[in-house]
Amino acid sequence: MGASDFSKLPHIGESVRRKEDYRFLTGAGQYTDDINLANQRYAVFVRSPHAHATINSIDTAAASAMPGVTRIFTGKDLEGKMGGLPCGWLITSTDGTPMKEPPHPVLALGKVRYVGDHVAMVVADTLDQARNAAEAVEVDYDVLPAVVSVSDAAKATALHEAAPDNHCYKWALGDKAAVDAVFATAAHVTKLDLTNNRLIPNAMEPRAAIGSFSRANDEYTLYVSNQNPHVERLLMTAFVLGLPEHKVRVIAPDVGGGFGSKIFLYAEDVALTWAAKQLNCAIKWTADRSESFVSDAHGRDHVSHAEMAMDANGKFLAMRVHTDANLGAYLSTFSTAVPTILYATLLAGQYATPMIHVEVDAWFTNTAPVDAYRGAGRPEATYLLERLVTRCAWEMNLAQDEIRRRNFITTFPYQTPVALQYDVGDYGAAMDKANALAEVAGFDARRKASEARGFKRGIGYSSYIEACGIAPSNIAGALGARAGLFECGEIRVHPTGSVTVFTGSHSHGQGHETTFAQVVAARLGIPVENVDVVHGDTGRVPFGMGTYGSRSISVGGAAIMKALDKIETKAKKIAAHLMEASDADIEFEGGEFKVKGTDKKIPFGQVALTAYVPHNYPLDKLEPGLNETAFYDPTNFTFPAGTYICEVEIDTATGSVRVDRFTAVDDFGTIINPMIVEGQVHGGIVQGIGQALMENCVYDKESGQLLTGSFMDYAMPRADDFPMFKLDTICTPCTHNPLGTKGCGEAGAIGSPPAVINAVLDALRPLGVTDLDMPASSARVWDAIQSARP
């Protein structure tokens, strides 16, 4: 079935209410911290108070003697019994050497490298006993100089012996000499320096894990708040613990948000799993919010210089970019791919720029590891490009939408100069719809009205594109991926005609239990409520790669479609037998099997029952049962795109910025459930505006202490910070997956930050403010206004 036929099926494009919401709204959700096992103890981690220090000694004697304490583990106890935490993506430097990959011990060995680094694990009968004992562990440190910024990393004290200059790799993409030659003769060159600020994910549910071990069958079970349980198991068994994979079961129950921060294999997960066998008990750990601030993987943190070469009419000729990326103290699971493969390949954006060269230097610093955060490289690329494009417009005296139109890609497929090939799109249509929805024609009148009230008003554009469903596996492998990027789906039709779907994708707020059910119900012509979706358990679900990169419906959904193809093929043979016809003459539509050219038909439910009650059934030709599994490895990325328009009002007396209007027009291809898509876009926009105006992770430059370690200092957006968003879509279905879908989970967080900052600068330009980094807080805006005054 092709994407165009699929999009016309019942249930597709309907705003079906989320099936999972009833249990969440009635308090019946089951998160990791809700689970308690027999013979369970509690773990608390002793964490480093220093950003950089050698460990002279760890004295656990007094703590071990405290009431309820079962055992205290340090790095020495784990040394030689397991490997370090692995990095899942190998990057090769421009000189052909592999990236520096220093050891990442589960518990610190001889040295700590950031505030929050794991020093010891205390296990006790109760949580309070574990906390009390953790405070009694005495650690003797020699404090070393710390470095927190990429600009200082090269000359700072080395974090790792493997990287004496704190440099992990230098990576590049594009033809530098050819790009430089274009710049040498360009009519105009626009330059921009900018910082993409570090963020702390702060999912509603903090990370949690329970490790257990069964001596009866020599099997481990890990309950964990995680986005991809199969990948968690693979990394932990193959790279760290050296266990047979079938002896480890990972269960990710309901997960209260992830945003990328729950993709990775963390030290706590390994330590709990391993220690469960050592102590012959279940061990539970749940992070408190302060712990999450210092120990969860952070996001973003790029410092970049970008230049665009243009002709006299504002046509883009070439672009060159240099980025310094902060990796933190250790390499997290996918950290190395974020500022390279997931960033540089998106720098073409929606524009037909003929030549691009990008160079990335990645650095170790005494900060929490940095990894994928909603968008993962795509927001960083879009922010840089869309800020640069708007500056190009201002320098060329062109409107922000006009310079974009002059440079939009208009023919497809389109091969970009940064490796990707876009299959389809209509960027002009998205721009037209966004301009109309945002009522751009009335902006000048609104600006004058703001001026009359003593405010400055600005408008900002962002025309983003992202690559979703990282693929295919063989190409990704050649680029350094150490795992496959396929997905698996199993369809189990029961005798009564109801269906259970087993998917390797994982839902942690996306609504998979509804959208996947809609896909299956549409194909089989059954009610949505007759379809259940199972995910998040390596003991029940075939191998899968989890949820990240807006891949679930386009990759996981495509795997389900392939399994449904097999179901339909077999079901047609059963129907042909029942109606005494050739299976080549059987059609399936609307839940009924029909013989072409006749009025013979039977419902899907009858075929399902026959599959399991095979009386008068050609067992020599057909197996009983109706259960099929399929794997899907995409042939290309999918490419959601759109245009976002933001209007802000600024009080110049205080620097306060208010988002007055926000319009988003996206192209997500085929949309399964518009309500769920709208919710995803709303959430993404809120996170993007949060980064643009308020969120900012700050470390003290001298001590390396986290200064924004709680919600008192790390500002999170609230509902009253936003206007009603105006949303709409266009549709150019993806050409290479059977659903025509593209993915929607990250778009809002990708497209919104540059739209907001461009609007802020548009408002401030008459005052002489020409540049401003995120977040555009009141203090920063006020300072910029004062600095621009004569």
Side-chain angles (χ1 to χ4, degrees):
M1 174 177 287
S4 59
D5 294 328
F6 172 77
S7 65
K8 299 172 185 175
L9 292 175
H11 305 305
I12 303 305
E14 294 181 6
S15 291
V16 176
R17 285 190 178 182
R18 296 193 349 157
K19 297 175 66 176
E20 50 268 67
D21 281 351
Y22 179 80
R23 75 172 185 272
F24 294 141
L25 293 173
T26 58
Q30 187 179 56
Y31 300 89
T32 301
D33 192 57
D34 294 324
I35 298 168
N36 290 292
L37 305 179
N39 192 27
Q40 178 177 287
R41 307 288 194 275
Y42 294 84
V44 168
F45 287 86
V46 178
R47 298 184 181 275
S48 171
H50 304 294
H52 200 190
T54 55
I55 300 174
N56 296 323
S57 64
I58 304 176
D59 186 350
T60 62
S64 297
M66 294 178 70
V69 174
T70 307
R71 180 79 182 271
I72 299 175
F73 295 97
T74 68
K76 294 289 187 182
D77 298 310
L78 277 57
E79 189 175 16
K81 299 180 178 66
M82 63 182 67
L85 300 181
C87 178
W89 205 293
L90 173 66
I91 296 297
T92 301
S93 289
T94 53
D95 63 2
T97 60
M99 65 188 188
K100 308 294 193 313
E101 196 168 0
H104 186 176
V106 173
L107 295 178
L109 279 168
K111 194 177 187 182
V112 290
R113 295 176 172 88
Y114 67 100
V115 173
D117 205 350
H118 310 75
V119 176
M121 180 176 72
V122 178
V123 181
D125 293 342
T126 70
L127 181 57
D128 284 342
Q129 288 170 337
R131 284 174 173 163
N132 291 337
E135 292 181 2
V137 174
E138 296 183 5
V139 186
D140 181 28
Y141 297 99
D142 276 340
V143 178
L144 300 170
V147 59
V148 299
S149 70
V150 292
S151 58
D152 300 325
K155 298 179 181 179
T157 302
L159 276 75
H160 304 278
E161 290 182 7
D165 56 358
N166 293 319
H167 190 241
C168 183
Y169 59 77
K170 179 184 286 291
W171 182 88
L173 182 64
D175 187 333
K176 184 178 188 303
V179 168
D180 289 346
V182 173
F183 270 84
T185 59
H188 185 85
V189 174
T190 292
K191 300 180 180 181
L192 180 65
D193 292 295
L194 76 170
T195 297
N196 203 297
N197 46 320
R198 178 183 282 237
L199 301 176
I200 300 174
N202 282 310
M204 187 177 295
E205 177 207 24
R207 287 192 296 118
I210 308 171
S212 67
F213 177 76
S214 170
R215 296 203 171 192
N217 53 16
D218 195 35
E219 289 185 0
Y220 299 80
T221 301
L222 173 68
Y223 295 87
V224 62
S225 182
N226 183 267
Q227 298 176 218
N228 46 357
H230 280 95
V231 176
E232 171 105 352
R233 182 178 70 169
L234 173 63
L235 294 174
M236 185 164 57
T237 57
F239 294 95
V240 187
L241 295 180
L243 296 170
E245 198 168 0
H246 70 286
K247 289 295 185 181
V248 178
R249 181 182 182 184
V250 175
I251 301 172
D254 290 326
V255 174
F259 312 116
S261 69
K262 294 177 182 175
I263 296 172
F264 324 121
L265 177 63
Y266 285 96
E268 295 89 352
D269 309 344
V270 175
L272 293 168
T273 304
W274 176 81
K277 180 177 182 179
Q278 308 303 308
L279 303 179
N280 193 31
C281 66
I283 309 172
K284 182 177 187 176
W285 167 79
T286 301
D288 60 33
R289 186 58 66 182
S290 295
E291 197 171 14
S292 294
F293 267 91
V294 298
S295 66
D296 288 2
H298 294 173
R300 315 290 192 248
D301 206 345
H302 285 190
V303 176
S304 299
H305 175 78
E307 300 182 3
M308 183 74 80
M310 294 173 282
D311 68 14
N313 296 313
K315 192 74 172 176
F316 300 159
L317 304 176
M319 183 171 71
R320 56 190 178 196
V321 176
H322 180 270
T323 292
D324 287 296
N326 194 337
L327 298 176
Y330 299 100
L331 297 182
S332 182
T333 308
F334 295 114
S335 60
T336 52
V338 174
T340 52
I341 307 302
L342 300 179
Y343 164 70
T345 55
L346 271 298
L347 285 171
Q350 298 185 12
Y351 311 111
T353 309
M355 306 181 77
I356 298 173
H357 178 262
V358 56
E359 185 178 77
V360 177
D361 284 292
W363 304 91
F364 294 109
T365 65
N366 296 111
T367 60
V370 178
D371 210 317
Y373 175 67
R374 198 170 191 170
R378 283 75 54 87
E380 294 91 320
T382 299
Y383 181 69
L384 180 146
L385 179 61
E386 291 304 295
R387 283 285 315 279
L388 182 63
V389 168
T390 286
R391 176 168 283 195
C392 289
W394 291 333
E395 291 186 2
M396 299 298 289
N397 293 315
L398 295 172
Q400 292 182 62
D401 58 344
E402 176 58 27
I403 197 166
R404 287 171 169 80
R405 288 184 191 280
R406 292 188 185 188
N407 290 283
F408 276 158
I409 298 162
T410 56
T411 58
F412 296 89
Y414 178 80
Q415 179 62 53
T416 74
V418 281
L420 299 182
Q421 184 179 81
Y422 304 160
D423 61 329
V424 68
D426 191 342
Y427 309 141
M431 175 71 79
D432 289 342
K433 184 168 279 192
N435 272 339
L437 193 61
E439 301 175 287
V440 172
F443 172 72
D444 284 341
R446 293 192 293 275
R447 187 196 287 260
K448 290 175 183 176
S450 295
E451 292 276 3
R453 291 185 290 108
F455 298 105
K456 292 292 184 183
R457 178 178 286 266
I459 189 168
Y461 281 72
S462 170
S463 294
Y464 79 92
I465 191 168
E466 61 166 323
C468 297
I470 303 172
S473 291
N474 59 343
I475 300 297
L479 294 172
R482 288 167 166 168
L485 296 166
F486 54 83
E487 197 49 83
C488 179
E490 178 187 350
I491 304 296
R492 188 177 299 172
V493 180
H494 302 293
T496 57
S498 61
V499 176
T500 301
V501 179
F502 298 87
T503 175
S505 298
H506 185 276
S507 180
H508 38 278
Q510 294 88 345
H512 294 172
E513 294 174 38
T514 303
T515 50
F516 285 178
Q518 286 180 254
V519 169
V520 173
R523 277 293 303 271
L524 300 182
I526 62 177
V528 173
E529 53 268 24
N530 285 10
V531 182
D532 284 338
V533 177
V534 176
H535 60 90
D537 185 346
T538 63
R540 299 184 65 191
V541 175
F543 195 94
M545 299 308 295
T547 294
Y548 48 87
S550 303
R551 73 190 300 269
S552 294
I553 194 65
S554 298
V555 185
I560 290 170
M561 284 287 282
K562 289 188 69 176
L564 287 166
D565 289 342
K566 295 180 181 181
I567 291 286
E568 183 176 321
T569 298
K570 183 174 181 179
K572 282 181 176 179
K573 293 178 180 179
I574 298 172
H577 166 71
L578 291 174
M579 292 186 287
E580 299 180 332
S582 166
D583 55 324
D585 293 328
I586 302 297
E587 296 177 332
F588 180 57
E589 183 180 1
E592 293 182 325
F593 295 89
K594 303 175 183 178
V595 180
K596 293 178 185 176
T598 75
D599 60 356
K600 287 186 175 181
K601 61 183 180 180
I602 57 175
F604 176 77
Q606 184 178 345
V607 170
L609 182 62
T610 302
Y612 291 95
V613 187
H615 298 162
N616 189 27
Y617 190 89
L619 292 171
D620 58 327
K621 298 178 182 178
L622 280 173
E623 295 178 345
L626 201 52
N627 183 10
E628 297 288 351
T629 299
F631 286 80
Y632 176 73
D633 197 328
T635 57
N636 193 5
F637 291 88
T638 62
F639 297 99
T643 288
Y644 289 3
I645 302 174
C646 176
E647 284 187 38
V648 300
E649 240 187 10
I650 299 176
D651 182 344
T652 57
T654 63
S656 175
V657 178
R658 182 177 67 89
V659 177
D660 185 57
R661 289 174 167 234
F662 199 98
T663 301
V665 174
D666 298 285
D667 180 1
F668 297 136
T670 303
I671 291 177
I672 309 298
N673 188 312
M675 178 187 69
I676 288 177
V677 167
E678 184 172 326
Q680 289 288 305
V681 175
H682 274 225
I685 291 172
V686 165
Q687 280 185 278
I689 295 176
Q691 177 180 11
L693 295 183
M694 47 195 91
E695 293 186 54
N696 195 31
C697 173
V698 180
Y699 283 91
D700 181 76
K701 190 172 182 179
E702 299 300 324
S703 68
Q705 293 293 324
L706 181 63
L707 301 180
T708 52
S710 76
F711 291 135
M712 293 292 290
D713 304 296
Y714 187 92
M716 294 285 281
R718 302 183 182 189
D720 61 358
D721 292 316
F722 306 100
M724 291 296 293
F725 302 139
K726 292 185 177 181
L727 308 184
D728 208 339
T729 60
I730 65 167
C731 180
T732 60
C734 174
T735 61
H736 54 78
N737 75 51
L739 300 93
T741 54
K742 296 183 179 182
C744 68
E746 298 165 303
I750 292 170
S752 54
V756 173
I757 298 300
N758 285 337
V760 170
L761 288 171
D762 184 60
L764 296 180
R765 284 174 67 229
L767 301 178
V769 177
T770 59
D771 203 6
L772 190 68
D773 273 323
M774 297 188 289
S777 61
S778 297
R780 283 191 175 189
V781 171
W782 189 87
D783 284 343
I785 293 170
Q786 306 314 307
S787 297
R789 285 178 172 167

